């Protein structure tokens, strides 16, 4: 279903560092995932489109879960100041790894996840990603690493989940 016009937002995330969005029209856009050395990288990536007054296509419901999460440095529950369809977020026993659980399960594990982390003092360019092997209808795990990928770090993050035909 086309958007009302080309004035909408597209954000993309992947295991690469340089995502490029181009050729935006009411009918679609192009997203290119590039590696740090600016080479096209066929890595798995996800994108999200947001627009004002654009109704979701028949059978879709828009963003099916989202949250703003305050990370913690100890295992256990995290503060979730704002959310929709998020039951809880907990830090696992591993630094920088968080478990996100849905209030209402997704219809399948074939949903898209957008996640981003806040930079931490002393750690430049933190990146958040979901741990693909952990994605289920009930939730998933998020990991946060430094730009060098040398180690995980605890940090605040936000997440948005989009699924098709979710009944919430």
């Amino acid at each position: 279903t086309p958007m009302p016009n080309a004035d909408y937002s597209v954000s993309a995330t992947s295991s690469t560092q340089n995502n490029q969005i181009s050729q935006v029209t009411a009918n679609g856009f192009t997203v290119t995932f590039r590696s740090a050395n600016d080479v096209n990288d066929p890595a798995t990536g996800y994108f999200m489109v947001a627009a004002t007054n654009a109704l979701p296509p028949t059978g879709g419901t828009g963003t099916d879960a989202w949250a703003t999460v305050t990370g913690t440095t100890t295992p256990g529950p995290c503060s979730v100041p704002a959310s929709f369809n998020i039951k809880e977020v907990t830090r696992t026993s591993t630094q920088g790894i968080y478990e996100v659980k849905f209030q209402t399960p997704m219809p399948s594990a074939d949903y898209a996840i957008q996640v981003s982390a806040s930079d931490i003092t002393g750690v430049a360019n933190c990146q958040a990603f979901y741990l693909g092997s952990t994605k289920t209808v009930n939730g998933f795990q998020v990991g946060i690493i430094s730009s060098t990928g040398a180690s995980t770090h605890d940090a605040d993050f936000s997440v948005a989940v989009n699924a098709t035909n979710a009944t919430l």
Side-chain angles (χ1 to χ4, degrees), residues 25-104:
T25 70
N27 292 312
F29 57 91
T30 299
V31 61
T32 305
F33 300 106
R34 299 182 184 274
S35 64
N37 58 0
D38 207 30
V39 174
N40 285 358
D41 186 350
T44 301
Y46 299 92
F47 62 88
M48 179 179 77
V49 176
T52 303
N53 296 328
L55 297 174
T58 302
T61 59
T63 299
D64 298 295
W66 60 267
T68 299
V69 180
T70 304
T72 180
T73 58
T74 57
C78 294
S79 172
V80 182
S83 69
F84 172 73
N85 195 31
I86 300 294
K87 181 179 181 178
E88 64 183 357
V89 179
T90 56
R91 180 183 176 268
T92 68
S93 59
T94 303
Q95 176 183 357
I97 306 295
Y98 298 88
E99 179 82 25
V100 178
K101 293 184 180 176
F102 301 125
Q103 185 73 39
T104 301

Side-chain angles (χ1 to χ4, degrees), residues 89-94 96-102 111 113 115 128-136 138-144 157 159:
V89 179
T90 56
R91 180 183 176 268
T92 68
S93 59
T94 303
I97 306 295
Y98 298 88
E99 179 82 25
V100 178
K101 293 184 180 176
F102 301 125
Y111 50 85
I113 302 169
V115 61
F129 58 95
Y130 84 92
L131 302 172
S133 63
T134 67
K135 192 165 75 164
T136 71
N138 296 310
F140 56 94
Q141 286 186 337
V142 168
I144 301 171
F157 64 95
V159 63

Side-chain angles (χ1 to χ4, degrees), residues 118-124 126 153-155:
S118 301
D119 286 347
I120 308 166
T121 303
V123 180
C126 284
H153 298 276
D154 292 315

